[in-house]
Amino acid sequence: MPSRNGQQRMRRTTKGWMFLVQWKDGSSNWIPLKDLKDSNPIETAEYAVAHGIAEEPAFAWWAKEILKKRRRILSKLGKSKYWRTTEKFGIKVPKTVEEAQRFDRENGNTLWMDAIKKEMKHVMPAFTRAECSLEEAKSGKGLPGYQEIKCHLVFDIKMDFTRKARFVAGGHMTDPPASMTYSSVVSRETVRIALLLAALNDLDVCAADIGNAYLNAPCKEQIWVTAGPEFGENAGKPMIIERALYGLKSSGAAWRQMLSNSIKKMGFTSSKGDPDLYFKPQVKPDGTKYYEYLLVYVDDILCISHDTKSIMDELAAQYRLKEGSVGPPERYLGADTKFTQAKSGLECWAMSSDSYVREAVKVVEQFFEEDGKKWKKPMTPFPRLNYQPELDSSPLLEPELISRYQQMIGILRWSCELGRLDILLEVSLLSAFSAAPREGHLEAVYHIFAYLRKHSSAAISFDPTMPDFGVEFSHYDCWEEFYDPEPECVPKDAPEPRGEAVHMSCFVDASHASNKVTYRSHTGIFIMLNSAPIVWYSKRQNTVETSTFGSEFVALRIATELVQGLRYKLRMMGVPLEGPTSMYCDNESVTKNASVPESTLSKKHNAICFHKVRESVAAGWIQVGWIKSEKNLADLFTKVLSNPRRQELLKHMLSRWSK
């Protein structure tokens, strides 16, 4: 077929080819080549070569390429990355205890065996010697009701070249019920709130990491293992697993339950707003009442109190805290943390994704080196202001590049979670194509990484100062004529508010019909407590709206629900709230319809959003005010903006990470 420049090129198609396939049950039927290529590409390509038809147009454009990748495809199917890794930092990594012993003999040291002994010293309390022989255990007579599983050691090398061994159970061999496996962790939103409260109430922050956490909890399953050489004198004997080992599906839930019980015995209460946040009434030496908090993310503990040492000492009496992990947090949940000075001049905690971004860029640098690409130095995340990913008509990516695309999108999404608000919209738009990305989408992702490489430093400060956005709100007293407003529902079991109050601000925006294929609008929401960023949201709307009014009201309704959930969480943390939440919208029509009781709705399909927002205003827990588009911070999450416009908004949201 002719190309755009008039030259003839081979058409990529499998149309017209059918193959008679014989199945294992003896039956056979004709299958289109297209389906065989998708389901069994390697076998189909090998058949074409063996029967001399690989040069036919239906095979020539893909068969040879598949066979080149055959070894790589089969190796990926057969082994995980860990089993394929033989060296790290130039040092051989063993896969078995026997290999570890051999490497130590070759190197003339005992580094790997020392790592094994250190790990087994902590792991051995998890086992009890079975009072039967190995043969009796395997026959089921010696251990009735117990299931045999496999265990092994996983080896690694740390950044400081220290050898590490981790004993892992084969949890894939058991099938416990879901009720035994579910385990929650503290939300990142709660962590941000806690760091703000620390600065607001002048409290200290201390972090700790519990060593071999799972081994403290009892095993909920009836399982046993044949001891390997790492067990020393017990090698070859049946061992009952009595503690929660790493690798078991039920270990996470067992550990969480045990730690939760321990924290509650210390006088803390689990918050109903976030069950992995624990609070306890406390009084400072000057008589000020407040709550001290414990935040739990598996085995990572974050303590907020005026006396963190006594709490950590109490935890250390029950669990082994890793050496060097107790103290002010320098890194938490992948983010750099630091007590620094905010733009207001006050000292507060700040969070940055700088270290994570630098490591992520190194991953992409390897891709660039393999592909022979050169880095650009862009000022904005997208290559141009009018770039529309949904209109990209470049060729679809090959399976290997699809995997790369998905990996990089995952990295970018986590960067956004850690505070890179400046790429939130672009990542949201490109995430929609993870299932079937195109070459142009991959180039756009590369462009975002080039932007991060050039602008690698950014932080969010949990500044406790009260902001003033210069917006006046209208208040009316005649809502009773239109609604039967109830005051904000405060749970009866909510703790007594203590400490300094916070004020919530919420910026809302929508870009009407911004998707030029589906014509769906895009919602952007930015929520702050005092001057601290807490929630950021950028997502395509679920419905097509026929007007800007409709899309803005949908966005305002989503924001109202987010605010409602956040206010509930704060109340269940015992945090005082100052007045209604201030909602900032840049659409005057929406603002008036939400704020003026006499307003009527002419578009009935927006009725749910319309009445949800207005009833919330009537109840007195939100107030809606108009703000200029130039000052609407949520604009960054709905529109691709020029660099000067971006910088004007970002200066209110991000700060530089001071060294």
Side-chain angles (χ1 to χ4, degrees):
M1 61 180 293
S3 62
R4 291 181 179 178
N5 58 11
Q7 295 180 348
Q8 293 292 322
R9 64 180 179 87
M10 188 179 296
R11 185 178 181 182
R12 296 188 169 189
T13 181
T14 58
K15 190 175 181 180
W17 284 78
M18 301 279 287
F19 284 84
L20 183 62
V21 178
Q22 184 174 1
W23 307 102
K24 288 184 177 180
D25 62 0
S27 62
S28 61
N29 59 320
W30 291 90
I31 303 295
L33 174 58
K34 173 182 176 296
D35 295 337
L36 286 175
K37 174 183 172 294
D38 291 340
S39 61
N40 299 80
I42 295 175
E43 293 89 339
T44 307
E46 288 175 339
Y47 179 90
V49 172
H51 290 78
I53 56 175
E55 297 300 325
E56 292 289 336
F59 295 92
W61 60 274
W62 65 272
K64 289 184 178 180
E65 191 65 27
I66 283 290
L67 293 176
K68 286 181 183 178
K69 298 179 181 179
R70 172 173 48 188
R71 184 175 299 174
R72 193 186 316 166
I73 293 172
L74 292 176
S75 65
K76 286 187 176 181
L77 289 173
K79 293 184 179 180
S80 67
K81 183 179 178 181
Y82 169 76
W83 293 106
R84 297 196 310 272
T85 302
T86 58
E87 289 188 4
K88 188 173 181 181
F89 307 132
I91 302 171
K92 290 183 178 180
V93 180
K95 296 295 181 287
T96 63
V97 176
E98 291 78 11
E99 268 195 347
Q101 293 172 335
R102 179 163 58 83
F103 289 168
D104 277 350
R105 287 195 300 269
E106 292 174 358
N107 297 326
N109 56 41
T110 59
L111 295 178
W112 284 116
M113 290 310 298
D114 290 344
I116 292 173
K117 289 177 182 177
K118 180 181 177 182
E119 174 67 8
M120 295 308 295
K121 177 184 175 182
H122 298 300
V123 168
M124 282 307 296
F127 298 93
T128 300
R129 167 85 180 276
E131 297 180 357
C132 64
S133 65
L134 183 61
E135 292 73 18
E136 290 174 331
K138 286 185 175 293
S139 67
K141 295 179 180 179
L143 294 172
Y146 281 76
Q147 178 184 352
E148 182 184 10
I149 67 167
K150 302 291 185 182
C151 295
H152 65 276
L153 280 162
V154 175
F155 299 91
D156 195 12
I157 301 172
K158 296 183 180 180
M159 296 291 289
D160 60 357
F161 299 102
T162 303
R163 275 52 163 186
K164 181 179 179 180
R166 171 74 77 185
F167 192 86
V168 180
H172 63 286
M173 303 178 72
T174 66
D175 190 24
S179 59
M180 290 176 58
T181 60
Y182 176 74
S183 177
S184 59
V185 293
V186 69
S187 71
R188 293 174 293 278
E189 179 184 284
T190 303
V191 174
R192 297 174 199 134
I193 295 172
L195 292 176
L196 167 65
L197 296 177
L200 187 65
N201 296 311
D202 192 22
L203 302 175
D204 294 331
V205 179
C206 184
D209 190 359
I210 299 176
N212 294 98
Y214 284 5
L215 295 176
N216 293 285
C219 180
K220 293 185 176 183
E221 304 173 60
Q222 291 186 316
I223 48 181
W224 68 277
V225 63
T226 303
E230 63 272 16
F231 283 80
E233 61 183 20
N234 288 317
K237 297 174 182 176
M239 306 291 287
I240 298 174
I241 300 174
E242 298 203 344
R243 314 299 291 177
L245 288 177
Y246 285 90
L248 293 177
K249 297 176 184 177
S250 62
S251 293
W255 161 243
R256 186 197 174 280
Q257 182 180 350
M258 182 175 185
L259 180 60
S260 179
N261 292 337
S262 300
I263 293 174
K264 289 175 181 177
K265 289 178 181 178
M266 294 166 58
F268 285 85
T269 302
S270 176
S271 171
K272 291 188 176 179
D274 189 331
D276 292 281
L277 174 130
Y278 301 83
F279 64 94
K280 179 181 178 181
Q282 194 55 270
V283 181
K284 290 184 181 179
D286 62 3
T288 304
K289 294 182 178 181
Y290 75 99
Y291 287 105
E292 52 190 9
Y293 298 101
L294 276 178
L295 292 78
V296 180
Y297 195 99
V298 188
D299 55 0
D300 290 321
I301 310 293
L302 197 65
C303 178
I304 315 289
S305 174
H306 83 280
D307 181 19
T308 58
K309 185 178 183 304
S310 62
I311 297 174
M312 288 301 175
D313 288 345
E314 196 169 352
L315 279 172
Q318 303 177 68
Y319 304 105
R320 183 179 68 86
L321 304 183
K322 288 184 180 178
E323 186 178 352
S325 70
V326 181
E330 297 179 357
R331 194 173 176 85
Y332 193 71
L333 304 187
D336 303 317
T337 53
K338 182 189 292 186
F339 194 65
T340 185
Q341 190 176 52
K343 293 178 181 178
S344 64
L346 292 180
E347 289 190 326
C348 65
W349 284 92
M351 183 178 286
S352 166
S353 61
D354 289 6
S355 296
Y356 180 81
V357 167
R358 282 195 294 270
E359 292 301 316
V361 168
K362 288 181 182 178
V363 173
V364 181
E365 283 177 345
Q366 295 177 358
F367 296 151
F368 270 49
E369 190 174 332
E370 292 174 6
D371 299 344
K373 290 181 174 291
K374 293 185 178 180
W375 284 99
K376 298 178 181 178
K377 296 183 178 180
M379 299 301 293
T380 57
F382 264 0
R384 57 184 185 276
L385 289 178
N386 62 348
Y387 178 64
Q388 299 278 154
E390 67 275 11
L391 298 180
D392 197 309
S393 58
S394 56
L396 291 169
L397 292 177
E398 295 293 325
E400 187 176 348
L401 290 179
I402 291 176
S403 177
R404 179 188 296 187
Y405 182 88
Q406 293 168 344
Q407 176 188 356
M408 293 194 294
I409 285 291
I411 292 173
L412 293 174
R413 288 176 66 86
W414 186 246
S415 300
C416 294
E417 283 290 332
L418 297 182
R420 287 309 296 249
L421 314 182
D422 50 338
I423 62 171
L424 181 63
L425 170 64
E426 291 77 8
V427 174
S428 174
L429 294 175
L430 290 173
S431 296
F433 303 95
S434 294
R438 297 181 177 273
E439 291 178 1
H441 299 146
L442 182 61
E443 289 300 320
V445 169
Y446 285 151
H447 197 274
I448 295 178
F449 275 97
Y451 168 83
L452 290 176
R453 187 171 183 259
K454 179 177 173 60
H455 306 85
S456 61
S457 180
I460 51 176
S461 298
F462 302 104
D463 189 350
T465 57
M466 289 285 187
D468 181 11
F469 298 106
V471 175
E472 293 185 2
F473 295 89
S474 302
H475 297 280
Y476 299 89
D477 299 325
C478 55
W479 283 104
E480 291 80 2
E481 299 179 17
F482 303 91
Y483 296 99
D484 186 17
E486 292 285 338
E488 183 179 8
C489 181
V490 178
K492 294 181 180 180
D493 55 351
E496 172 197 358
R498 290 186 172 208
E500 297 294 326
V502 299
H503 179 74
M504 191 185 303
S505 306
C506 178
F507 294 84
V508 187
D509 190 46
S511 56
H512 178 245
S514 56
N515 188 301
K516 301 308 177 186
V517 174
T518 64
Y519 285 93
R520 291 186 183 182
S521 306
H522 205 91
T523 297
I525 298 168
F526 184 58
I527 301 177
M528 305 170 71
L529 292 180
N530 292 5
S531 297
I534 301 297
V535 177
W536 39 92
Y537 178 102
S538 179
K539 188 177 179 181
R540 184 182 59 192
Q541 293 183 3
N542 293 329
T543 57
V544 177
E545 296 299 326
T546 57
S547 65
T548 302
F549 176 88
S551 63
E552 293 277 0
F553 239 120
V554 168
L556 193 56
R557 188 263 305 165
I558 295 172
T560 300
E561 292 174 347
L562 288 175
V563 165
Q564 189 173 17
L566 187 55
R567 288 177 72 91
Y568 172 79
K569 176 180 285 190
L570 290 168
R571 292 195 185 281
M572 301 311 290
M573 291 174 65
V575 180
L577 290 170
E578 184 181 279
T581 297
S582 299
M583 312 280 284
Y584 300 101
C585 177
D586 58 13
N587 187 293
E588 288 190 76
S589 178
V590 170
T591 303
K592 289 178 180 178
N593 274 266
S595 304
V596 179
E598 295 84 2
S599 298
T600 57
L601 181 66
S602 58
K603 298 182 178 181
K604 300 302 180 185
H605 62 283
N606 295 130
I608 293 176
C609 299
F610 178 82
H611 290 296
K612 172 63 180 177
V613 174
R614 282 167 57 84
E615 281 201 356
S616 302
V617 173
W621 56 270
I622 68 169
Q623 54 184 0
V624 183
W626 178 78
I627 191 171
K628 293 181 179 179
S629 293
E630 295 77 23
K631 295 184 178 180
N632 188 354
L633 302 184
D635 233 30
L636 187 67
F637 303 152
T638 59
K639 304 174 184 69
V640 179
L641 305 173
S642 63
N643 187 52
R645 180 88 174 84
R646 287 170 51 83
Q647 297 306 318
E648 183 63 29
L649 296 177
L650 283 171
K651 72 180 183 181
H652 299 287
M653 307 162 79
L654 296 177
S655 58
R656 297 285 293 180
W657 185 254
S658 57
K659 301 295 183 184

